[in-house]
Amino acid sequence: MATVKINQKTYEVPELTFRHSKIMEQMGVPVEGMMSRNYLFSIVSAFTSIVANCDAEHADFLIEQHILGGGDIFDIYKAYVTAITTSGFFKKLLHLDKAEENKEG
């Protein structure tokens, strides 16, 4: 199972599902923006909320402490991108499976 380190604590990254897409949408990440750095802060906040199993306010606190402690926000974002691109649900939703087929064929 994949992990991500946020504010000196390692969290297991769950397989992202439809339920997680609703959380991300409620936290300001539109479906069409799920793979866009234009929503970097919203994505990192929503992803942190999911992996730390906490509300948005606490997720933002964790991220802030992570950065103040010398951590890099892009490490969290990279873990998110990996989680999105390996999720069966998100591969279908974002048509990433078709992109993989085009590379192979």
Side-chain angles (χ1 to χ4, degrees), residues 31-45:
V31 172
E32 63 275 3
M34 287 185 172
M35 295 297 289
S36 170
R37 284 192 179 190
N38 291 336
Y39 297 94
L40 176 70
F41 293 125
S42 295
I43 287 169
V44 169
S45 179

Side-chain angles (χ1 to χ4, degrees), residues 66-77:
H66 177 76
I67 293 168
L68 290 172
D72 189 341
I73 196 168
F74 288 104
D75 291 338
I76 301 169
Y77 181 76

Side-chain angles (χ1 to χ4, degrees), residues 1-2 4 12-24 29 34-35 43 46-52 76-94 96:
M1 171 138 315
V4 62
E12 286 189 16
V13 178
E15 166 96 16
L16 297 181
T17 64
F18 177 72
R19 183 176 70 85
H20 299 119
S21 70
K22 289 185 350 184
I23 292 168
M24 288 188 274
V29 182
M34 287 185 172
M35 295 297 289
I43 287 169
F47 183 66
T48 299
S49 176
I50 290 165
V51 298
I76 301 169
Y77 181 76
K78 288 177 205 168
Y80 162 80
V81 170
T82 299
I84 279 282
T85 57
T86 58
S87 161
F89 172 74
F90 280 99
K91 279 184 181 181
K92 290 289 189 183
L93 179 70
L94 302 174
L96 299 174

Side-chain angles (χ1 to χ4, degrees), residues 89-105:
F89 172 74
F90 280 99
K91 279 184 181 181
K92 290 289 189 183
L93 179 70
L94 302 174
H95 307 291
L96 299 174
D97 56 334
K98 300 226 186 302
E100 287 176 1
E101 289 174 11
N102 289 339
K103 284 183 185 177
E104 293 172 1

